[in-house]
Amino acid sequence: MHQPAPPAPFADRAGALAGTRTPLPRQRDHHPARRRPAELPPAHTAMICVALPGLAISTEQGQQTGSGLEGFYRAGRRLLSRCQVRVAGREPLAVQARMVAADLARFVGTLRVSPRGGGPDPDVLVERTRCADGTERITLRSAAPRPLRLPVEVALGTDLADLGAIAAGRAGPELPADVHACGLRWSRAGARASVTAEPPPAEALASAGLLRWEFDLPPGGSASIELRVRQDGAAPLRSAGRTATSPLAPARATGDDPRVPALLRTSVDDLRALLLRDPEHPADLHLAAGAPWRCGLAPAEALAAARMVLPLGTGLAAGTLRILARTQLPGPGPKAGMIPGPRRDAGPHLPPGCTGTEATLLFPVLLAEARRWGLPERETEELLPAAERCLTWLRNTVGDGAYLPDPQPGGPVRCETQAQAHRAALLGADLLDAYGRPGGAGLRQWARTLRGAFHDDFWIDGPRGDRPAAARAPDGRPVPHLGAPVAHLLDTGLLGGGELAPGLLDKGRTERLARLLGGPDLDSGWGLRGMGVKEAGYNPFGHRSGAVRVRETALAVAGLAAAGYEREAASLLRGVLGAAEAFGHRLPEMYAGEQRTEGSAPLPHPAACRPAATAAAAGVLLLTTLAGIRPDAPARTVALRPVRGAPLGETVLTGLRVAGAPFAVRISRLGLAMVEEAAAGLQLGA
């Protein structure tokens, strides 16, 4: 099932702003000549602290001016839009801004307040540490040779706007303030927020939104102010990812390449920051799609991210599956068993796709693979009926045909959807057989039928050589453009004994696909382009027509490595690592597909989420692919298929989880993998 999509290019943002399931609002305009597409405030230059449901956003200057996205948020509501500091009547000169952690940023500024004639050196340092939970600490440090009396002002304001209104340019003016306790308070219908300060200000001016202090600092002395932003009537903010019950293991990496530990550390940190609890079942957690635009549940991406982070444990997979099982559509009817999801833009050559289809196909795959990684049998059995309903929907929708059709009447038959359906059928059949449930034989028979039809219908010859078609139009004509979604053909899924499921391509066509993925049309040097540079409609910033999407790149790296095409896998892997370094190791969901050249840097996409669940999870998948970990917890075995060329030199991964216990592996410079820690009784498979 799909929900209506907003106009391109922001269909991916549908149902995610402020945790809602509604598209961006549009102003009515009956004059097409004056109509303009929605334009999100740019996020690529923002410092975004995340500990959902809390966000703190500013530029690298540190001041929150109330423009664009700046402010403190809770559950999609901007509680504070403006927080500007002046010391001795002036704004500090910003000299450094740094993300300390996913939820914490540090800003440093300087001032010279001593009388003229003492040289150009600043003598007051102003440090601001800002946390996503709504706290900020402002510290003044004096290096002046004489005592200083420093007046400090903090100008505050808010519109109490929700994120969807801000995105649509409808935030509204600042609200009048009232003096409240040790600070200020604002209110409007249905919302109230306050800022309190410690120590209390010497003066609070509601009409100007000002708090004032005066500090006497001896030489070398310091003073601090702590501000706390709160939503009146709400409990103190507690991030699910910062509790002892976080489902993500504290994995770490060391090795020859210094980018490896930084990427894994940041990826795990970002994943924890994006965790959200199900309000009605607080023991179950899922990943929000990304900040700032997609702080709610996006079913397909939540499942995809949980699958990529199975090396960090199965708890997130279990929680995500339970949450989505409760959303399954009941029967009877053709949509019974589906997991609803919004439509998603598919680029210039195809109509929007249904993420509900993708989520429904991912559900049994995640359950089957989570069982291999160590999901307890009791939890697997509890979730099995929901997986069966997904598989029943698949078989009923296919009927007597060879392909899984598009849910939109008259829609195309998509290549990536067939790959996902084929994987779901084989892994689902394996899961049903393991628990003595019927239906496995029928799923395997349909998978064989699909392979034969796909071989005949989806491989085309064109001016630039043979390739898989992106889709088949309703009249049977192939849609020939080349893009990153073909990487799904290599993602076949994990079966027992460390074996991968067969895919839709034979050996020869797998080799051809590997060459295409590793060729200059798709490999930008920073990762896999969403569409080849020679295709009509290519746009390096098009989020489905040329931009590098980190999730598809990671799937391509893992699939190429598993199929033995390690040169192509290594090239894409090095490209993403280079991009990660340029982005401070916090990968955005996408960035421009411009060709990498000597001395260049990847171009950010102004509307990309950063952090993003699938990008952070892709960081985990990319690095664990180096070791090729293939567990079979029910059989108490684990196989290793490392990338033989060791493209990043020696790498050690610790703190992973296999079969419910810590797991560590070392990849040598010769490309050999050695288990250094594992569950008792876990045997190394062939």
Side-chain angles (χ1 to χ4, degrees), residues 53-64:
L55 292 173
I57 305 176
S58 74
T59 69
E60 292 186 345
Q61 300 301 307
Q63 300 278 41
Q64 291 175 316

Side-chain angles (χ1 to χ4, degrees), residues 147-343:
L148 296 177
R149 171 160 287 189
L150 293 177
V152 178
E153 289 184 346
V154 179
L156 304 169
T158 189
D159 47 24
L160 291 177
D162 64 68
L163 189 53
I166 295 166
R170 300 186 294 102
E174 282 192 359
L175 301 169
D178 296 317
V179 175
H180 172 70
C182 301
L184 300 174
R185 181 171 63 187
W186 302 263
S187 62
R188 57 180 279 191
R192 291 197 305 175
S194 62
V195 175
T196 57
E198 178 61 39
E203 190 176 13
L205 302 177
S207 59
L210 279 178
L211 303 181
R212 290 175 172 165
W213 295 260
E214 198 164 85
F215 294 104
D216 292 313
L217 297 187
S222 65
S224 293
I225 301 166
E226 184 168 281
L227 304 175
R228 298 182 183 88
V229 185
R230 295 290 182 263
Q231 184 174 4
D232 286 10
L237 192 148
R238 294 184 62 202
S239 168
R242 297 297 180 222
T243 65
T245 58
S246 170
L248 300 172
R252 290 292 181 266
T254 58
D256 293 339
D257 192 322
R259 299 171 298 181
V260 169
L263 177 58
L264 185 57
R265 180 177 61 251
T266 305
S267 295
V268 174
D269 201 29
D270 283 346
L271 288 164
R272 288 181 168 178
L274 292 170
L275 284 172
L276 282 174
R277 296 188 185 279
D278 184 325
E280 297 180 3
H281 301 82
D284 293 338
L285 290 91
H286 68 88
L287 287 167
W293 304 120
R294 310 183 68 199
C295 295
L297 176 63
E301 293 185 36
L303 289 164
R307 182 178 175 229
M308 288 189 281
V309 301
L310 283 171
L312 304 183
T314 60
L316 177 62
T320 304
L321 289 167
R322 283 192 290 266
I323 290 167
L324 292 177
R326 293 190 283 268
T327 74
Q328 262 186 320
L329 297 177
K335 296 177 181 177
M338 276 201 81
I339 296 170
R343 291 174 65 192

Side-chain angles (χ1 to χ4, degrees), residues 300-454:
E301 293 185 36
L303 289 164
R307 182 178 175 229
M308 288 189 281
V309 301
L310 283 171
L312 304 183
T314 60
L316 177 62
T320 304
L321 289 167
R322 283 192 290 266
I323 290 167
L324 292 177
R326 293 190 283 268
T327 74
Q328 262 186 320
L329 297 177
K335 296 177 181 177
M338 276 201 81
I339 296 170
R343 291 174 65 192
R344 177 173 63 199
D345 180 66
H349 300 288
L350 293 170
C354 176
T355 62
T357 297
E358 183 180 357
T360 308
L361 297 173
L362 266 170
F363 191 104
V365 168
L366 178 58
L367 181 59
E369 291 189 329
R371 175 175 174 264
R372 297 294 177 191
W373 281 89
L375 184 66
E377 291 294 312
R378 178 183 58 80
E379 294 186 67
T380 306
E381 290 182 15
E382 288 175 355
L383 288 162
L384 190 57
E388 284 184 290
R389 291 192 289 272
C390 292
L391 295 169
T392 299
W393 168 84
L394 170 60
R395 290 295 293 122
N396 290 342
T397 306
V398 168
D400 296 329
Y403 298 119
L404 178 62
D406 199 83
Q408 187 76 10
V413 176
R414 302 171 196 262
C415 174
E416 64 184 290
T417 300
Q418 308 318 306
Q420 294 161 354
H422 185 263
R423 180 185 62 202
L426 293 183
L427 269 65
D430 189 60
L431 187 64
L432 295 176
D433 289 353
Y435 289 91
R437 303 291 184 97
L443 288 166
R444 291 190 181 90
Q445 177 59 47
W446 173 74
R448 286 191 291 271
T449 301
L450 174 59
R451 281 198 296 274
F454 192 92

Side-chain angles (χ1 to χ4, degrees), residues 644-658:
R644 293 190 299 272
L648 305 181
E650 183 175 74
T651 303
V652 181
L653 303 174
T654 60
L656 305 176
R657 295 192 74 81
V658 174

Side-chain angles (χ1 to χ4, degrees), residues 112 115-119:
R112 175 157 184 79
R116 294 183 181 277

